[in-house]
Amino acid sequence: MSTDEIRAIELLNRVSYGRVATSMRAMPFVAPARHVVVDGRVLLRMHEGLGYHRACNGGVVAYGADNFGSGAEHIWSVQFSGTARVVEPTREERAAFGPEPEQVDGEPFVPVYLRIEPQFVTVHALDYPSESRSTRPAARSVRRHLHHVA
């Protein structure tokens, strides 16, 4: 595993949820998912009732997560792109996800699991100046640095 892949996994382990993107009937879509990282692969838990897992299964997907809403000074985003497959996780993998939601859009939550074999891993970091973002005037120009690692 490359240094960048290790860094992406480290960052991904800091948050619990992300978004999986693929296409369904030739239209792109993005869906929320809970994730854990097992042996360098991303394992997702989604609600079976929405049917998104069928569009992902056997296809190329992108899975991204970030800390955009955290208020942190150092903002990051990671993306894992690769083939997704519906899998039956081990007892230990299921336990790593933690508790399941009771409902999704008013219906009982039924879990389905996907494993992504990453082909590409991308890390983006946005570094802001040390002054608090909340005290900066919105209209003032801000020094921003975007680092891209692929």
Side-chain angles (χ1 to χ4, degrees):
M1 217 181 288
S2 74
T3 304
D4 297 331
E5 290 170 325
I6 292 169
R7 177 71 176 143
I9 288 170
E10 174 191 306
L11 292 170
L12 191 62
N13 280 324
R14 293 182 185 183
V15 295
S16 300
Y17 287 86
R19 291 157 297 284
V20 63
T22 194
S23 63
M24 185 166 31
R25 293 187 291 279
M27 298 296 291
F29 78 90
V30 177
R34 172 78 169 91
H35 65 262
V36 296
V37 179
V38 180
D39 298 326
R41 288 178 259 148
V42 180
L43 184 61
L44 305 180
R45 180 179 72 192
M46 302 173 69
H47 175 51
E48 184 180 58
L50 299 175
Y52 296 145
H53 65 287
R54 288 190 289 278
C56 296
N57 190 34
V60 175
V61 303
Y63 184 73
D66 55 62
N67 71 338
F68 291 167
S70 70
E73 186 173 307
H74 301 287
I75 304 299
W76 56 264
S77 174
V78 298
Q79 180 173 295
F80 293 75
S81 298
T83 305
R85 297 269 182 224
V86 172
V87 296
E88 187 59 41
T90 66
R91 183 183 351 236
E92 294 79 18
E93 290 169 338
R94 281 181 186 261
F97 280 102
E100 296 176 350
E102 290 181 22
Q103 294 186 339
V104 173
D105 296 336
E107 64 179 62
F109 178 77
V110 177
V112 64
Y113 300 88
L114 294 164
R115 187 176 320 275
I116 300 173
E117 294 288 342
Q119 303 296 314
F120 300 102
V121 177
T122 306
V123 178
H124 295 287
L126 290 87
D127 299 322
Y128 285 85
S130 59
E131 70 179 89
S132 169
R133 288 189 318 228
S134 62
T135 61
R136 270 195 318 265
R140 184 166 27 135
S141 176
V142 177
R143 183 182 76 230
R144 296 182 186 186
H145 301 284
L146 174 63
H147 305 283
H148 172 75
V149 179

